Amino acid sequence: MDRPATTTGSRPTATPQSAYRFERFTTALLIDDMFFRADAPGAGDPVPAFDLPTLDGGRFRSDDLGPLPVLMIFGSRTCPVTESAAPILRALHAEFAGQVRFVLVNTREAHPGDVFTQPRTTPEKWAHAQELRTHHGFTFEVAVDDIDGDLHRAMTPKPNSAYLLSPTGVIVYRAHWANDERGLRSALTRALAGQPPVRGASRAMVRPLLRAVGHLPGVVAFAGRGVERDVWRAAAPLAVLGRLSRLFRGLPADHRGPAAAGLLLIIVAVVGGLLLR
């Protein structure tokens, strides 16, 4: 195995090592996932220094990104948003291959379960990264953050954020969710044309989350039923939408969440109408 990942520079205090490798998803984690801290690295900031191994035996280094812009994505095998982002990332890679370097950084598991648990050792995390690549059929680089997620924490850990970096390591664009296809494509296209992005960060929030909801049952089936239990405890509305999304198995997974949300609104309206009679 390659020598382990290293990250230098400041260490965030909001997500210490002891809390990073959590066993169960909680409401506090959900809330933290929804917002970037005011001091989180964003457009115009240099990316924190790092040196990570890749599954193919290479290195992903902040001081040697190469001659091309870099799209750096964070993700894990048990992240529903990563599930919904994977086809988008494969399509973008096919479109921009040779012009942009794509690197997915494997992080902690977003929803560790009873079967696919949070990795506790470097070999386990390496195996999780391999499972992630195989599952999604990624042909671009997959790097492995260290067991305590130094790079992920330095960027303020979000389960599936993405960053467009200049060849010199300056952040050009930040997407909260990597399934924001419109935002990422626009940023990539403008960067290759020598133009700054329309804005330095994606504003998409509700649509990416609804797109991911339909993938939650698949994550539960893979990682273990403890995942659904944790989501019920941490975010009951998301758990309800996940359950309702199963009713729309005839639809593509990305469309099941919005359909479930529409059904839930109808149910609430009907019940509300009955109660007001």
Side-chain angles (χ1 to χ4, degrees):
M1 183 180 299
D2 273 304
R3 65 186 174 87
T6 58
T7 309
T8 59
S10 60
R11 293 289 187 273
T13 57
T15 310
Q17 294 177 1
S18 59
Y20 181 77
R21 293 183 276 120
F22 61 87
E23 296 285 351
R24 298 300 179 195
F25 186 69
T26 65
T27 302
L29 286 165
L30 174 67
I31 294 172
D32 189 58
D33 286 347
M34 294 299 104
F35 305 97
F36 279 101
R37 298 200 314 266
D39 61 345
D45 295 326
V47 69
F50 62 85
D51 180 358
L52 307 182
T54 67
L55 292 182
D56 292 325
R59 306 297 298 187
F60 179 41
R61 299 185 178 96
S62 55
D63 61 356
D64 185 23
L65 295 177
L68 303 176
V70 178
L71 183 63
M72 178 176 69
I73 312 106
F74 291 100
S76 69
R77 177 62 178 86
T78 60
C79 174
V81 192
T82 303
E83 288 287 312
S84 67
I88 293 170
L89 295 173
R90 290 196 299 266
L92 290 174
H93 180 246
E95 182 177 345
F96 293 99
Q99 303 176 81
V100 177
R101 180 184 181 187
F102 282 65
V103 184
L104 187 140
V105 178
N106 182 64
T107 69
R108 66 184 178 187
E109 294 302 325
H111 292 281
D114 305 322
V115 177
F116 200 75
T117 60
Q118 194 71 265
R120 292 299 163 189
T121 66
T122 297
E124 286 180 359
K125 191 158 188 176
W126 193 269
H128 282 215
Q130 291 175 319
E131 164 64 27
L132 175 67
R133 179 174 66 175
T134 300
H135 172 66
H136 291 299
F138 291 141
T139 57
F140 47 82
E141 293 174 89
V142 174
V144 187
D145 202 0
D146 64 76
I147 194 65
D148 290 315
D150 277 7
L151 175 58
H152 197 205
R153 290 186 300 117
M155 303 300 289
T156 68
K158 301 294 171 278
N160 189 222
S161 55
Y163 297 81
L164 179 58
L165 310 176
S166 74
T168 58
V170 175
I171 299 170
V172 176
Y173 179 80
R174 181 180 75 191
H176 201 136
W177 308 109
N179 65 3
D180 179 13
E181 182 175 9
R182 182 183 303 177
L184 287 178
R185 176 172 278 107
S186 175
L188 290 168
T189 300
R190 292 181 66 86
L192 292 175
Q195 302 171 340
V198 175
R199 56 180 62 93
S202 168
R203 295 179 180 176
M205 179 60 70
V206 175
R207 185 177 298 175
L209 288 176
L210 285 179
R211 179 180 290 171
V213 163
H215 295 271
L216 182 58
V219 169
V220 171
F222 173 76
R225 297 203 59 82
V227 172
E228 188 173 34
R229 176 199 62 209
D230 294 341
V231 175
W232 274 106
R233 292 174 177 175
L238 286 179
V240 170
L241 289 174
R243 276 294 183 95
L244 290 176
S245 73
R246 297 177 180 179
L247 300 175
F248 300 96
R249 290 176 179 171
L251 296 177
D254 283 359
H255 298 167
R256 296 172 195 168
L263 176 59
L264 182 60
L265 288 175
I266 292 173
I267 294 172
V268 170
V270 170
V271 172
L274 292 174
L275 292 176
L276 292 175
R277 284 186 178 182

